[in-house]
C-alpha cells in the first residue's frame, strides 16, 4: 500500500496522513484488521533455520575433511587397516561435533532484534487512546510518545513538545536528537538528519510527541538491517582458506607419490600388483596428517581460553587466527573509541576559559546554573535519568562537590519554561531565602547571547555587555565548537516575583554567566591502542554517525589522522559516499580514514571496498546499525557492555570490557596462534614426509618395509602430543613489529615450505642410514635377527627423530638456544610422554612382539639417539646461515 516509506520526511504532515489514508483520530478497527491481513504483524521476519543435522553435515564440506574420509575408506576397505580407519573417522567426527557447538550462527542476531521490540504501544484508534501490543501496530496508526518510551515502529512525527530521541544504536550518534514536525526538503538526508521521523527501537529521552506509523516490521529501518543480515554472505576466513589450500596440495602430492611407488614396485616385480597397490595406499595414508584438523581446533580452542582471560570472548574458532592477519580495523566511534558518555571538558566562567579539571568553588554561579537549569532525575541509588547532556552537567557538579539535592531544597523550582527546539533554550525559576527569585537559563550560545545585556567579569562583578565582550564570547564559542565540543551557554537574572505568565518572553535582559563545552571523550587507552596497531602495520578507520567536525576532531585526538595530513581528503561523509559507485569508491577507499554521518549500508560498502584490495578487515561496533558490517567483515568484533544483543549476535568476537586496546591484545594472540599452527604443520608434514621417504626408498631398494602398525603408532604418539604442545608455545619476540600477513599468505609462507622439504628429507635420510648401518654391521649375524634389529632401529629412529625435530620447530628461524629448550612445560611433558610410549613398544616384553620389533641393547639405542639428535645439529647450522643471509 505504501511505496514512499523513505520519503515521508519530505512530505507535510497533512500529505503524509493523506498518503497513509488515516486521520489524527486514528484508524478504525476495520481498517486495522484489513491492514494486518495485507501487511502482516509488526515483527521481524526470521531467516529459515538450518536443522542440526544439516549443520553437522556442512562440517564435512571442507576439502581436507573429504581427503581424510577418503583415506579412512582406503585404509579400511583396501588396506584392511581398520584401526587406522577408525582413528581417522573419530578425529573427523569429533571435529564436526566441536564445530557445530562452538560456532554461533547468524540467526542469533535476528533473535536479538526480535527481543528488542517494545511490548506495548499507546495508540489512538477511533478517537480513543488504547494500549496494545506493538506487534499489532499497522501503517497509519497514530502513536503517542513520552519520555522513557521505546519507539514501537517507524513514525512521521505530527506533534513534538521538546521531544528528544536517543538513536545511537541505529545512527551511531551519541547525543539525543531534537525532533520537530517541520518538513525537510533534502530527499538525500541520512537517517541521523531526519529530525521529523522516529525510528523503531530508539529511546525517547525527553518531552513528548505524536506520530503516524509509516513502516512496520521488515519495512522499518531496523527491519532493513535484519534483511541485510539475512542476505549477508558468510565470509571465509584466511585460516579456512589456508587449510583448504593445504588439503588440496597434500592430495596432489599424495596421489603422485602413491602412483610412483606403485609403478616402481610393479616394474621391479618387487611384489604382486595387488600387494603393491596396498603398499601405495599405506604410504598415502601415512602421508596424510589425519590429526591436523583436530590439532588446529585444539590450538584455536586453547587460544580462545587465553583470550577470555584477556577479556576477548571468541564466538567462532577461526576468528582467533583471523585476527592475526588483520590489515584494517574499521571501528565504530561511539562506545568503542569513545566512552559513549557526554563529559564536560572545558568551562568558561568569570570571563576565563579553563579545563574541566580546574578547581572551581562550590558556589560558582556558572556551576550553580548548569545544575539548576536541568531536568535530570537522580534515583535513590545515585543513578541519573535524563538527557545525556544534562546528566553530564550534574556529574560535573558532583565532581566539584556541588550538592544538587541540597541546592534544590534551599532554592526549590517554582516555575519553568521547557526547552523548545526552535528557540533552543530552557529556563527554570527558583525561590530564594530572601524572597526573591533566581531565573536560570541554559541553551545554544547564539540564541542566548541575543538575550544577554550584562556579563560577569574576572573579578565576579556584573558589567554591561559591550561589543568587544560580545565578540570575545562569540569567538570563545567558535573556538570550542571547532574542537568538536557541544557548547551550552548559561545565564541568569534575579526577579522580585514570579510573573503571572511564565513563557519565553521572560528570557530577556539576562546576565551572561559562562559557557560549558562537552564531548563524548575518547577512551583513555584508545590512543595508545591506535598507535600500537599502527606499529603492527594495521590501519585504524573510524566510522560514525556523528557530524564531520566531531568525527574529525576525535580522529585527530586519537591519532587516526594527523595534523600534517589533508584532513579534508581523509574524511568523507555518507552523503559524499552516496555520490560514488562501488568501482569509484574502491579506487579511492585507501585515502579515507574517517567516515561521518554514515548509514548501515555505507558500513558494508566500506568493508567490501577494502576486501576488494585483498585486505583482511576487522569491524568493531556496538549498535544495531553495525550488525550487517560486522557480519560482512572478515572478523566482526562486538562490545560486551554497551553493545546491543544484535551486534553481539552478528560478531565473531565480543570484547567483555569494551576496551579498544583489547583488540590489539587479541591481534597479538591471533598472530601467535597462526605462528603456532604453522609450527605444528611444519612439524607434522616434515615428519610425514620423512615417513613417506622412508617407505618409498625401502620399497625401491627392496628392503624390509615398515609395517602399517609401525607407522600408525608413530603417528599416534609422536604426531599428536608434541604438535598440540607446540600450540601453546610462548609468543616470539617482535611479533607485533611485523607487517600483517594479509589474505594471500599461507601456512607455507616465510620459509616454512622449504623447511618442511629439507627437514623431511633429512628425517627420511637419517632413518634409512640407520637401517643401512644396522644391516651392514649387524649385532646378530643371523639374517632374520639382523633384519629384525635393523627394522626396529629404523622404527625407533623414525619416532625419536620426530621428537628431537619438535624442538627444531619451536621457531622457524630462531635458534633453539634463543627460544629455550625447556621454557614450555607442556611441551616438555608431551615429548617425554611420547618417548615413553614409543620406547615401551620396544622395551616391554609382549608389546614388542605385538609390534613385530626386537629388543635393542644400549649400543643400538646409542646409535638411534645419536642419529636422531644429529637432525637438531644440522637444522641449527642451516638456521644460522639463513639468519646471516637475511641480514
Amino acid at each position: 500500500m505504501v511505496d514512499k516509506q523513505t520519503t515521508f520526511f519530505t512530505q507535510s504532515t497533512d500529505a503524509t496522513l493523506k498518503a497513509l489514508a488515516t486521520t489524527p483520530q486514528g484508524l478504525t478497527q476495520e481498517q486495522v484488521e484489513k491492514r494486518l491481513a495485507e501487511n502482516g504483524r509488526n515483527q521481524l521476519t526470521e531467516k529459515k533455520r538450518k536443522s542440526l543435522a544439516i549443520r553437522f553435515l556442512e562440517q564435512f564440506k571442507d576439502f581436507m575433511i573429504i581427503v581424510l574420509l577418503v583415506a579412512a575408506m582406503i585404509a579400511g576397505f583396501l588396506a584392511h587397516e581398520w584401526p587406522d580407519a577408525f582413528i581417522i573417522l573419530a578425529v573427523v567426527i569429533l571435529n564436526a561435533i566441536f564445530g557445530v557447538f562452538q560456532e554461533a550462527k547468524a540467526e542469533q542476531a535476528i533473535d536479538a532484534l526480535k527481543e528488542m521490540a517494545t511490548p506495548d504501544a499507546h495508540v489512538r484508534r477511533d478517537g480513543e487512546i488504547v494500549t496494545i501490543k506493538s506487534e499489532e501496530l499497522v501503517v497509519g496508526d497514530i502513536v503517542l510518545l513520552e519520555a522513557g518510551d521505546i519507539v514501537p515502529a517507524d513514525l512521521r512525527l505530527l506533534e513534538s513538545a521538546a521531544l528528544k530521541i536517543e538513536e545511537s544504536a541505529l545512527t551511531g550518534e551519541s547525543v539525543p536528537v531534537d525532533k520537530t514536525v517541520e518538513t525537510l526538503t533534502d530527499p538525500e538526508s541520512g537517517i541521523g538528519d531526519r529530525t521529523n521521523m522516529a525510528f523503531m527501537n530508539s529511546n525517547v529521552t525527553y518531552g513528548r510527541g505524536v506520530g503516524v506509523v509509516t513502516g512496520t516490521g521488515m519495512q522499518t529501518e531496523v527491519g532493513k538491517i535484519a534483511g541485510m543480515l539475512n542476505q549477508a554472505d558468510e565470509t571465509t576466513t584466511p585460516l579456512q582458506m589456508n587449510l583448504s589450500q593445504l588439503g588440496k596440495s597434500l592430495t596432489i602430492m599424495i596421489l603422485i607419490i602413491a602412483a610412483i611407488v606403485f609403478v616402481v614396485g610393479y616394474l621391479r616385480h618387487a611384489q604382486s600388483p595387488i600387494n603393491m597397490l596396498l603398499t601405495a595406499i599405506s604410504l598415502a595414508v601415512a602421508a596424510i596428517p589425519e590429526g591436523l584438523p583436530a590439532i588446529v581446533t585444539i590450538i584455536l580452542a586453547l587460544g580462545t581460553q587465553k583470550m577470555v582471560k584477556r577479556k576477548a570472548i571468541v564466538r567462532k574458532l577461526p576468528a582467533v587466527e583471523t585476527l592475526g592477519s588483520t590489515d584494517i580495523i574499521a571501528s565504530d566511534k561511539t562506545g568503542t573509541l569513545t566512552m559513549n558518555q557526554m563529559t564536560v571538558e572545558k568551562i568558561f566562567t568569570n570571563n576565563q576559559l579553563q579545563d574541566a579539571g580546574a578547581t572551581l568553588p562550590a558556589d560558582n554561579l556558572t556551576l550553580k546554573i548548569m545544575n539548576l537549569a536541568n531536568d535530570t532525575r537522580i534515583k535513590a541509588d545515585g543513578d541519573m535519568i535524563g538527557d545525556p547532556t544534562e546528566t553530564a552537567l550534574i556529574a560535573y557538579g558532583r565532581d566539584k562537590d556541588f550538592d544538587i539535592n541540597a541546592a534544590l531544597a534551599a532554592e526549590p523550582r517554582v516555575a519553568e519554561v521547557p526547552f523548545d527546539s526552535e528557540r533552543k533554550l530552557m529556563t527554570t525559576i527558583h525561590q530564594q531565602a530572601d524572597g526573591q527569585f533566581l531565573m536560570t537559563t541554559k541553551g545554544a550560545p547564539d540564541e542566548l547571547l541575543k538575550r544577554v545585556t550584562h556579563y560577569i567579569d574576572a573579578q565576579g562583578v556584573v558589567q554591561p555587555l559591550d561589543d568587544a565582550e560580545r565578540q570575545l564570547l562569540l569567538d570563545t564559542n567558535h573556538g570550542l565548537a571547532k574542537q568538536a565540543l557541544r557548547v551550552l551557554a548559561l545565564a541568569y537574572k534575579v526577579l522580585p516575583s514570579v510573573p503571572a505568565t511564565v513563557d519565553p518572553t521572560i528570557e530577556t535582559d539576562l546576565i551572561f554567566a559562562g559557557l560549558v563545552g562537552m564531548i563524548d571523550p575518547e577512551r583513555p587507552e584508545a590512543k595508545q591502542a591506535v598507535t600500537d596497531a599502527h606499529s603492527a602495520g594495521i590501519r585504524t578507520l573510524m566510522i560514525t554517525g556523528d557530524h564531520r567536525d566531531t568525527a574529525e576532531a576525535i580522529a585527530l585526538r586519537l591519532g587516526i589522522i594527523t595534523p600534517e595530513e589533508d584532513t579534508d581528503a581523509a574524511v568523507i561523509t555518507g552523503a559524499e559516499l552516496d555520490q560514488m559507485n562501488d568501482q569509484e569508491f574502491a579506487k579511492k577507499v585507501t585515502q579515507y580514514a574517517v567516515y561521518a554521518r554514515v548509514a548501515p549500508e555505507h558500513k558494508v560498502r566500506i568493508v567490501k571496498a577494502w576486501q576488494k584490495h585483498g585486505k583482511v578487515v576487522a569491524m568493531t561496533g556496538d549498535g544495531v546499525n553495525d550488525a550487517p558490517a560486522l557480519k560482512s567483515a572478515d572478523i566482526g568484533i562486538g562490545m560486551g557492555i554497551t553493545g546491543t544483543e544484535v551486534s553481539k549476535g552478528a560478531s565473531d568476537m565480543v570484547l567483555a570490557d569494551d576496551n579498544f586496546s583489547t583488540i590489539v591484545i587479541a591481534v597479538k594472540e591471533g598472530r601467535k596462534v597462526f605462528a603456532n599452527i604453522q609450527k605444528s604443520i611444519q612439524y607434522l608434514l616434515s615428519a610425514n614426509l620423512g615417513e613417506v621417504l622412508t617407505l618409498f626408498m625401502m620399497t625401491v631398494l627392496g628392503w624390509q618395509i615398515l609395517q602399517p602398525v609401525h607407522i600408525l603408532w608413530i603417528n599416534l604418539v609422536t604426531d599428536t602430543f608434541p604438535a598440540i604442545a607446540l600450540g601453546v608455545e610462548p609468543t616470539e619476540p617482535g611479533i607485533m613489529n611485523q607487517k600483517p600477513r594479509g589474505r594471500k599468505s599461507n601456512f607455507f609462507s616465510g620459509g616454512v615450505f622449504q623447511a618442511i622439504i629439507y627437514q623431511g628429507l633429512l628425517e627420511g635420510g637419517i632413518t634409512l642410514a640407520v637401517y643401512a648401518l644396522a644391516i651392514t654391521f649387524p649385532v646378530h649375524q643371523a639374517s632374520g635377527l639382523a633384519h629384525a634389529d635393523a627394522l626396529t632401529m629404523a622404527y625407533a629412529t623414525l619416532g625419536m627423530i620426530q621428537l628431537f625435530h619438535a624442538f627444531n620447530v619451536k621457531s622457524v628461524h630462531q635458534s633453539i638456544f634463543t627460544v629455550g629448550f625447556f621454557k614450555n612445560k607442556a611441551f616438555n611433558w608431551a615429548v617425554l610422554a611420547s618417548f615413553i610410549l614409543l620406547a615401551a613398544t620396544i622395551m616391554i616384553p609382549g608389546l614388542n612382539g605385538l609390534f613385530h620389533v626386537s629388543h635393542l641393547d644400549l649400543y643400538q639405542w646409542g646409535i638411534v639417539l645419536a642419529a636422531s639428535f644429529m637432525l637438531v645439529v644440522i637444522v641449527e647450522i642451516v638456521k644460522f646461515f639463513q639468519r646471516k643471509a637475511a641480514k
Side-chain angles (χ1 to χ4, degrees):
M1 182 183 72
V2 178
D3 60 2
K4 297 183 178 180
Q5 159 67 16
T6 59
T7 60
F8 280 116
F9 56 89
T10 63
Q11 299 182 24
S12 67
T13 55
D14 290 339
T16 300
L17 290 170
K18 184 176 179 180
L20 298 173
T22 188
T23 68
Q25 284 70 46
L27 301 171
T28 65
Q29 191 59 36
E30 182 181 351
Q31 288 175 305
V32 170
E33 290 175 1
K34 183 179 178 181
R35 296 185 186 194
L36 268 176
E38 288 178 354
N39 303 324
R41 300 174 73 81
N42 180 31
Q43 57 189 17
L44 301 177
T45 302
E46 184 177 350
K47 187 178 180 181
K48 186 177 179 181
R49 300 296 178 95
K50 296 176 182 177
S51 68
L52 187 64
I54 294 296
R55 291 179 182 179
F56 179 75
L57 291 174
E58 284 186 343
Q59 302 295 317
F60 295 91
K61 292 194 302 184
D62 182 78
F63 194 79
M64 186 66 179
I65 299 297
I66 294 172
V67 170
L68 291 175
L69 289 173
V70 172
M73 294 173 63
I74 292 173
F77 291 105
L78 293 179
H80 302 294
E81 295 297 333
W82 290 106
D84 207 348
F86 286 134
I87 287 174
I88 295 171
L89 283 174
V91 166
V92 169
I93 292 171
L94 285 172
N95 189 62
I97 293 172
F98 199 74
V100 168
F101 288 99
Q102 188 71 20
E103 294 187 1
K105 299 301 179 182
E107 290 90 357
Q108 292 178 353
I110 304 300
D111 289 341
L113 279 166
K114 292 177 69 178
E115 290 170 4
M116 286 178 65
T118 177
D120 295 315
H122 307 294
V123 300
R124 194 180 291 146
R125 287 183 177 172
D126 290 319
E128 299 285 334
I129 297 176
V130 295
T131 301
I132 63 170
K133 292 288 184 184
S134 62
E135 292 180 354
E136 299 171 12
L137 278 175
V138 296
V139 171
D141 262 326
I142 305 300
V143 177
L144 283 67
L145 300 173
E146 61 182 24
D149 285 350
I150 299 176
V151 180
D154 282 5
L155 312 174
R156 168 62 164 95
L157 294 173
L158 307 176
E159 299 176 24
S160 175
L163 182 65
K164 293 186 180 183
I165 299 180
E166 192 268 311
E167 300 174 344
S168 65
L170 189 64
T171 67
E173 187 169 1
S174 55
V175 178
V177 180
D178 295 324
K179 294 295 182 178
T180 70
V181 298
E182 300 300 322
T183 303
L184 303 179
T185 57
D186 184 4
E188 302 300 323
S189 297
I191 293 174
D193 296 317
R194 297 175 194 173
T195 54
N196 58 11
M197 299 288 293
F199 301 107
M200 185 177 184
N201 294 128
S202 56
N203 302 296
V204 180
T205 62
Y206 192 86
R208 58 180 180 80
V210 177
V212 58
V213 176
T214 60
T216 59
M218 298 300 287
Q219 299 305 311
T220 63
E221 293 298 332
V222 169
K224 292 175 185 177
I225 293 174
M228 292 167 70
L229 285 173
N230 282 339
Q231 296 169 11
D233 296 328
E234 293 289 344
T235 56
T236 303
T237 70
L239 175 65
Q240 291 166 327
M241 289 189 288
N242 281 335
L243 285 177
S244 177
Q245 180 184 9
L246 178 59
K248 292 175 183 177
S249 301
L250 281 177
T251 300
I252 295 170
M253 290 169 58
I254 289 165
L255 291 176
I256 292 173
I257 292 169
I260 291 173
V261 167
F262 175 78
V263 170
V264 170
Y266 178 77
L267 292 176
R268 289 185 73 259
H269 303 291
Q271 299 181 41
S272 66
I274 187 63
N275 285 337
M276 281 311 308
L277 178 61
L278 290 174
T279 299
I281 291 170
S282 297
L283 190 149
V285 171
I288 297 176
E290 62 271 4
L292 180 59
I295 288 169
V296 169
T297 301
I298 290 168
I299 292 173
L300 290 173
L302 292 171
T304 64
Q305 293 173 16
K306 198 160 188 179
M307 290 171 74
V308 165
K309 296 176 182 177
R310 306 300 295 269
K311 306 296 184 182
I313 301 168
V314 175
R315 302 175 67 249
K316 298 181 181 180
L317 278 185
V320 182
E321 182 275 334
T322 309
L323 273 166
S325 57
T326 299
D327 297 286
I328 304 293
I329 299 177
S331 175
D332 180 54
K333 177 186 77 70
T334 305
T336 309
L337 289 166
T338 64
M339 300 290 291
N340 194 21
Q341 179 180 332
M342 291 300 288
T343 304
V344 174
E345 187 161 289
K346 298 282 186 180
I347 184 167
F348 182 84
T349 183
N350 291 341
N351 225 34
Q352 295 178 336
L353 182 64
Q354 53 194 45
D355 292 332
T359 302
L360 273 184
D363 61 353
N364 178 273
L365 199 52
T366 307
L367 190 63
K368 182 177 183 179
I369 294 169
M370 74 174 69
N371 279 268
L372 292 181
N374 200 308
D375 287 327
T376 298
R377 298 200 310 271
I378 302 177
K379 294 163 59 175
D381 60 5
D383 288 345
M384 294 180 286
I385 302 173
D387 182 272
T389 301
E390 294 196 327
T391 59
L393 298 177
I394 297 293
Y396 180 70
R398 279 182 178 176
D399 290 342
K400 301 304 178 186
D401 297 323
F402 184 90
D403 189 337
I404 181 62
N405 292 326
L408 288 173
E411 301 182 23
R413 184 188 298 191
V414 295
E416 63 184 285
V417 183
F419 176 85
D420 181 86
S421 58
E422 291 186 8
R423 79 180 202 289
K424 299 180 180 178
L425 299 171
M426 75 166 289
T427 292
T428 61
I429 300 176
H430 302 263
Q431 185 170 10
Q432 294 184 297
D434 61 3
Q436 297 190 92
F437 295 85
L438 175 66
M439 189 182 93
T440 63
T441 301
K442 173 180 99 258
D446 292 344
E447 293 298 322
L448 187 137
L449 285 172
K450 294 175 184 177
R451 297 161 171 80
V452 168
T453 59
H454 292 74
Y455 74 101
I456 302 174
D457 68 13
Q459 285 71 44
V461 179
V462 176
Q463 303 282 2
L465 183 67
D466 56 23
D467 290 342
E469 181 64 26
R470 185 181 297 275
Q471 190 59 48
L472 172 65
L473 299 180
L474 288 171
D475 290 345
T476 303
N477 172 51
H478 181 66
L480 294 174
K482 281 186 68 175
Q483 299 175 48
L485 300 179
R486 187 179 190 195
V487 187
L488 291 177
L490 306 161
Y492 76 102
K493 71 178 178 181
V494 177
L495 303 173
S497 63
V498 178
T501 302
V502 179
D503 60 27
T505 59
I506 68 172
E507 295 170 339
T508 57
D509 299 324
L510 300 177
I511 303 169
F512 180 84
L515 298 169
V516 59
M518 291 169 287
I519 198 169
D520 176 15
E522 67 274 19
R523 290 180 172 273
E525 67 285 343
K527 184 172 184 177
Q528 184 59 48
V530 171
T531 302
D532 292 344
H534 180 74
S535 298
I538 300 169
R539 185 172 181 182
T540 303
L541 310 178
M542 189 173 78
I543 304 176
T544 178
D546 271 343
H547 291 281
R548 183 187 188 115
D549 290 345
T550 303
E552 181 181 320
I554 291 292
L556 281 166
R557 290 163 62 141
L558 287 169
I560 293 174
I561 55 178
T562 63
E564 294 76 26
E565 291 184 60
D566 181 355
T567 54
D568 287 338
V571 183
I572 185 173
T573 65
E576 291 169 336
L577 185 53
D578 284 332
Q579 303 304 312
M580 302 184 200
N581 58 36
D582 288 345
Q583 291 74 23
E584 183 182 1
F585 177 51
K587 290 179 182 177
K588 295 183 176 180
V589 69
T590 56
Q591 79 181 55
Y592 304 122
V594 179
Y595 298 82
R597 304 303 279 173
V598 294
E601 58 269 23
H602 294 141
K603 299 186 176 186
V604 176
R605 285 186 69 190
I606 293 164
V607 169
K608 291 189 174 179
W610 277 105
Q611 288 173 333
K612 285 180 181 177
H613 283 263
K615 301 298 184 182
V616 177
V617 182
M619 167 72 186
T620 73
D622 61 352
V624 176
N625 61 321
D626 296 318
L630 288 171
K631 191 176 178 187
S632 298
D634 295 284
I635 175 166
I637 306 171
M639 300 295 123
I641 299 173
T642 59
T644 60
E645 290 304 312
V646 183
S647 62
K648 295 176 193 174
S651 299
D652 302 290
M653 185 180 86
V654 176
L655 302 181
D657 58 359
D658 284 15
N659 191 332
F660 186 82
S661 65
T662 302
I663 299 171
V664 180
I665 294 171
V667 167
K668 184 177 181 180
E669 186 66 27
R671 291 187 175 189
K672 185 187 83 171
V673 165
F674 178 86
N676 287 349
I677 291 175
Q678 196 174 43
K679 292 170 188 175
S680 295
I681 289 175
Q682 179 185 347
Y683 172 70
L684 290 171
L685 295 188
S686 56
N688 284 17
L689 178 59
E691 294 171 9
V692 168
L693 180 64
T694 301
L695 290 174
F696 175 69
M697 290 306 299
M698 282 184 159
T699 302
V700 170
L701 296 172
W703 292 351
Q704 185 175 351
I705 194 168
L706 289 169
Q707 297 184 23
V709 68
H710 298 146
I711 300 300
L712 177 61
W713 189 252
I714 289 173
N715 282 346
L716 182 64
V717 300
T718 66
D719 279 12
T720 308
F721 300 132
I724 293 173
L726 284 168
V728 292
E729 275 292 298
T731 307
E732 289 188 45
I735 199 168
M736 288 300 285
N737 294 324
Q738 302 169 6
K739 291 183 178 180
R741 297 190 318 276
R743 195 179 296 276
K744 294 182 179 179
S745 71
N746 56 53
F747 290 119
F748 295 134
S749 301
V752 171
F753 179 75
Q754 296 91 325
I756 288 172
I757 298 300
Y758 90 80
Q759 290 165 9
L761 292 174
L762 280 173
E763 289 185 41
I766 292 172
T767 301
L768 292 169
V770 168
Y771 181 88
L773 179 66
I775 285 291
T776 306
F777 303 103
V779 173
H780 301 93
Q781 296 302 317
S783 178
L785 292 176
H787 273 289
D789 284 352
L791 188 66
T792 302
M793 290 176 69
Y795 163 66
T797 303
L798 190 57
M800 287 301 303
I801 203 169
Q802 292 181 24
L803 295 182
F804 278 113
H805 181 50
F807 288 94
N808 286 326
V809 298
K810 286 165 77 74
S811 176
V812 178
H813 300 293
Q814 295 297 318
S815 168
I816 184 60
F817 300 103
T818 301
V819 176
F821 266 101
F822 305 113
K823 286 184 179 179
N824 184 350
K825 292 182 180 179
F827 178 84
N828 299 333
W829 284 110
V831 171
L832 179 60
S834 297
F835 171 74
I836 292 171
L837 290 171
L838 179 68
T841 60
I842 299 173
M843 301 174 70
I844 297 178
L847 272 182
N848 52 16
L850 186 64
F851 278 83
H852 312 290
V853 293
S854 61
H855 181 76
L856 299 180
D857 59 26
L858 289 177
Y859 169 73
Q860 292 168 319
W861 270 114
I863 293 174
V864 168
L865 292 173
S868 301
F869 185 73
M870 184 61 64
L871 181 66
V872 176
V873 176
I874 297 172
V875 171
E876 278 295 305
I877 293 171
V878 173
K879 284 184 180 181
F880 173 79
F881 284 109
Q882 285 178 334
R883 291 193 297 273
K884 286 289 185 183
K887 289 181 180 180

